[in-house]
Amino acid sequence: MNEQQTGQDEYVGDVAPGGPAQTRTAGCLRITKVAVDPEMSNNCYLLRCEDTGDQVLVDAAAEPERLLELVGDGGLATVITTHQHWDHHRGLAAVVAATGAEVVVGSPDADAVTEQTGVTVTRSVGHGDTVAVGSCSLDVIALAGHTPGSVALLFEDAERGDGRAHLFTGDSLFPGGPGKTAGPAEFTSLMDDLEARVFDRLPDSTWFYPGHGDDSTLGDQRPQLGEWRARGW
């Protein structure tokens, strides 16, 4: 399959299962987005360090053969699972078996991921931890609510970047609202974390990449925060 390679100005993040990937470069990081599984339409993100060639996959959601094709001959250092829900790790066992990649999960979700996949989590992470992508680095932002151990991953490259922060949000933030929660307490927890750790910290230009569907910017979503709080979902 020949994947579509898009330039920085052409990337829009609009991908569909069975369709081509989209790729952009942000400083030392090359970001490739692909959608898998027509039923769930999960987004997976292959991150490649432009300096070292090291690669990290965010969510081995499904279709491991497709993901391994993206990985190619460059090897895979790490798979980060953004949260424990089944649709985000169906390809994990096959990808790890083929590549020997380290498995990273937010600490409160780690046991559940192992129970559901049979894959040993080699590193449990919490808020403020970092995950290397070669010479690049991802900051771990814990966002409890969609699941207890949901994490977002923040990339910033002040020296070589494109003027944006880039945030991989799993199912914790989408265009139009936070991810689904089990009840009022979980919703409040997620909104509190999103406001304090994402919207209060990062500028409007921050581009975020969710676990399903299209991307957006924090600036596009910020005016809706009060509405989200009021509706409770």
Side-chain angles (χ1 to χ4, degrees):
M1 182 180 299
N2 294 321
E3 301 293 358
Q4 176 183 343
Q5 302 294 311
T6 52
Q8 180 72 24
D9 294 335
E10 299 172 335
Y11 177 94
V12 295
D14 180 11
V15 295
Q22 287 200 11
T23 297
R24 77 190 317 176
T25 301
C28 67
L29 198 69
R30 188 174 71 188
I31 301 165
T32 299
K33 177 181 181 179
V34 65
V36 295
D37 181 10
E39 181 180 354
M40 298 301 296
S41 193
N42 289 85
N43 295 327
C44 307
Y45 301 94
L46 183 67
L47 312 180
R48 178 181 175 89
C49 175
E50 294 285 76
D51 296 330
T52 67
D54 288 352
Q55 298 186 121
V56 168
L57 180 66
V58 179
D59 282 346
E63 300 181 24
E65 66 287 346
R66 177 89 189 275
L67 301 178
L68 290 168
E69 185 177 0
L70 282 182
V71 169
D73 297 330
L76 188 66
T78 305
V79 181
I80 306 171
T81 300
T82 58
H83 63 287
Q84 64 174 273
H85 285 161
W86 66 276
D87 59 311
H88 287 259
H89 53 56
R90 289 165 291 166
L92 181 63
V95 168
V96 170
T99 63
E102 181 180 41
V103 179
V104 174
V105 183
S107 183
D109 280 8
D111 288 347
V113 169
T114 295
E115 290 170 5
Q116 294 170 29
T117 66
V119 176
T120 299
V121 174
T122 49
R123 184 183 175 199
S124 298
V125 293
H127 185 68
D129 287 338
T130 60
V131 180
V133 188
S135 62
C136 309
S137 183
L138 302 172
D139 294 336
V140 176
I141 299 175
L143 300 171
H146 182 66
T147 67
S150 290
V151 296
L153 306 159
L154 173 65
F155 171 70
E156 299 177 285
D157 187 346
E159 294 183 0
R160 296 165 47 187
D162 57 359
R164 296 182 184 268
H166 296 264
L167 183 68
F168 303 88
T169 58
D171 283 2
S172 291
L173 178 64
F174 296 97
K180 184 178 180 181
T181 55
E186 291 82 3
F187 172 78
T188 298
S189 173
L190 180 52
M191 283 299 302
D192 287 349
D193 280 353
L194 283 170
E195 291 197 30
R197 297 177 173 181
V198 174
F199 285 93
D200 289 351
R201 172 183 176 183
L202 298 170
D204 285 352
S205 61
T206 302
W207 191 286
F208 72 88
Y209 307 80
H212 306 264
D214 294 341
D215 308 342
S216 186
T217 65
L218 295 188
D220 285 343
Q221 305 304 311
R222 194 183 301 275
Q224 304 174 56
L225 287 172
E227 176 187 340
W228 301 348
R229 282 276 191 186
R231 76 189 186 193
W233 57 272

